[in-house]
Amino acid sequence: MNRDRSPRRLVAVSMLAAGGLVVFVFESFFPVLPWFRPGFGNIATILALMFFGFGDALKVTLLRIVLGALIIGRLFTPLFVFAAAGGLASVLVMAMVMRSTRAFGPVGVSVIGAVAHNLVQMYVAYLLFVRSTELLIFIPVFIAAGVVTGILTGLVSAVIAARAGTRIGHAGWPVPDR
Amino acid sequence: MKVLRYFTRADIVLITVLVALAGAGIVFARRAAVPGNHVVVEVDGRRVMELSLDQDVTTSVTGPLGDTVIIVRDKGVFISDSPCANKYCIHMGPLRRSGEVAVCVPNRVVVIVTGGAGTGFDGVVE
């Protein structure tokens, strides 16, 4: 765990939270498909995980989920419950993966996070709203969508880490070469 | 390829496995999907209505938010009006194949196409 208590770190984490929030809100204006969004706000979570560890990544994610929902006006609606469950699952799973192995780079971690996000969202939909096993046929589609969006967000995270890494802070996770 | 340097070997293995899994799942689901002949409508997990796909009809069910209008036309079924804010369920278009689903989460309505040839499988390979 990163023990750095410097203002530099506080600023970096705050910037990541704010940046992720802006991207999240901006993204919500342009739905590719109504129920499908690439989740670029997750870049902030991945960078926070790479540079500052689980605690700060959780803060960045929670702030984005709650403030984002407040801004786009869906706080405590069903969609908010989905997003919150998916976001929390994804940061938890990504942190566990990063803690247990260094085999995956930012792209792999991001793909795992995106797939976890989608599957947990679907599970929550099943538990809370539609208790119908017919939802199962969506699993392959959700996995495929998670792979695509995970690769995209992971690549952007990797590029940002490679280019601006030293300005964000000291990486506790291998940063790809430029 | 310049972007490839951002992928570790484990990343590539992971992506390949997931794509193969998803592809197999989608192919399997397509194979298993035959034209349906029956529509089941559930509200809040309870089966409230059954319709035949062969008979054109306009009907509605009542969920927590109000009435969801369901139309059967030309052996397909679709949600034509719903009291929810997003209207995603309407955009799901007409469903024809067995196993296809339209869901309106806010109004807790699920429309499922069932039936068709026997079990839904068109053959078993041994």
Side-chain angles (χ1 to χ4, degrees), chain A:
Chain A
M1 196 38 40
N2 197 325
R3 292 248 161 257
D4 180 9
R5 292 256 162 268
S6 66
R8 182 196 178 93
R9 179 187 189 181
L10 182 66
V11 170
V13 173
S14 311
M15 293 290 279
L16 283 174
L21 178 61
V22 169
V23 170
F24 172 86
V25 173
F26 190 73
E27 196 178 77
S28 72
F29 296 150
F30 304 100
V32 181
L33 285 167
W35 37 266
F36 175 84
R37 289 198 198 121
F40 283 119
N42 202 36
I43 292 165
T45 300
I46 296 165
L47 288 173
L49 271 176
M50 290 173 74
F51 288 94
F52 306 111
F54 174 62
D56 285 337
L58 187 63
K59 286 177 211 159
V60 166
T61 310
L62 279 175
L63 283 170
R64 184 175 71 244
I65 291 170
V66 176
L67 294 180
L70 195 63
I71 290 172
I72 70 176
R74 67 164 195 207
L75 197 59
F76 306 124
T77 65
L79 275 175
F80 168 75
V81 180
F82 288 122
L88 286 180
S90 130
V91 67
L92 274 172
V93 170
M94 289 194 295
M96 284 195 309
V97 168
M98 284 171 116
R99 196 163 288 191
S100 53
T101 172
R102 300 245 145 167
F104 297 111
V107 177
V109 171
S110 163
V111 166
I112 293 172
V115 171
H117 176 279
N118 290 357
L119 292 183
V120 166
Q121 271 199 343
M122 203 185 80
Y123 188 60
V124 170
Y126 171 75
L127 280 187
L128 293 183
F129 304 110
V130 283
R131 278 206 165 267
S132 163
T133 47
E134 305 291 339
L135 278 179
L136 285 175
I137 66 166
F138 288 126
I139 285 183
V141 181
F142 276 47
I143 291 177
V147 170
V148 174
T149 61
I151 291 175
L152 284 175
T153 51
L155 272 178
V156 177
S157 310
V159 172
I160 294 175
R163 297 198 167 235
T166 51
R167 269 172 280 169
I168 299 176
H170 177 72
W173 182 257
V175 169
D177 299 327
R178 274 180 81 163

